[in-house]
Amino acid sequence: MRRTLIAVMTSCLLAVTACTGGGSSTPTAASEADVVAWMDKVCGAVDGTVKTMADEPPIDMSDPAKLKTGLSDWLGSKVSAVDKSIADLKGLENGPHPKSKELTTAAQDGMGQIKTLLADTKSKLDSSTDPTQVVTAFTEMVAKAGELEKAGADVQKKFDETGLAGAAQKASNCKGLQASPPTS
């Protein structure tokens, strides 16, 4: 179950920065190098969340208190990482490409959906009174992972629509994200 969660959540985050195919128009107001450098920062803003999501939650079914605390702490660290990514993306809204704000807003929205799912699950865990409720809350989060995949696909579409896929393919942080697919 936990590998499935990690794979799905990481896939969603990668989709936020996936840079495949799509149109690659070169903006006239800024040099291609400026756009690639900015795109590298956008992917870098997401990279911390991707790296944070790569670890597995501590699941110790033999001790209900440790299970609850471990999962809650794990989710809390993920929410903090997503918060940082959202703040970093917000700071990149005024990039050199005419559609910079459109793309960063879409990425922020996608990250916001991830944060909501993680925070809601953490809240349910923290208010749970028995191990069954803990497992149920975590299982519900895994079941909602498909919604995150859709959010990631929407951001991917925005890459294509804004003509930034080509710049992202040249940005090292974006390449790094593509090169680290989740394992299951």
Side-chain angles (χ1 to χ4, degrees), residues 9 23 26 30 43 47 49 54 56 59 71 74-75 88 91-92 95 104 110 132 139 168 177-179 181:
M9 302 282 281
T26 304
C43 289
D47 189 48
T49 297
E56 295 183 3
I59 297 179
L71 288 176
W74 183 82
L75 287 165
D88 291 349
L92 295 168
T104 56
T132 303
T139 303
L177 289 170
Q178 291 175 359

Side-chain angles (χ1 to χ4, degrees), residues 22-93:
S24 59
S25 62
T26 304
T28 55
S31 73
E32 181 179 8
D34 289 341
V35 175
V36 170
W38 173 81
M39 199 66 233
D40 194 56
K41 292 177 184 176
V42 170
C43 289
V46 175
D47 189 48
T49 297
V50 171
K51 288 178 179 171
T52 299
M53 296 301 291
D55 71 340
E56 295 183 3
I59 297 179
D60 180 359
M61 297 299 283
S62 66
D63 185 342
K66 284 184 182 178
L67 174 67
K68 179 179 175 177
T69 302
L71 288 176
S72 180
D73 291 348
W74 183 82
L75 287 165
S77 71
K78 305 315 170 222
V79 169
S80 294
V82 174
D83 279 339
K84 181 177 181 341
S85 290
I86 290 170
D88 291 349
L89 287 165
K90 183 114 179 105
L92 295 168
E93 288 179 347

Side-chain angles (χ1 to χ4, degrees), residues 121-157:
T121 302
K122 183 178 181 334
S123 177
K124 287 179 184 176
L125 285 174
D126 292 345
S127 66
S128 66
T129 57
D130 67 62
T132 303
Q133 290 175 332
V134 170
V135 173
T136 299
F138 197 75
T139 303
E140 287 173 359
M141 181 178 72
V142 172
K144 291 181 181 176
E147 296 171 23
L148 299 181
E149 289 175 352
K150 183 186 179 316
D154 290 345
V155 175
Q156 170 62 45
K157 183 178 175 186

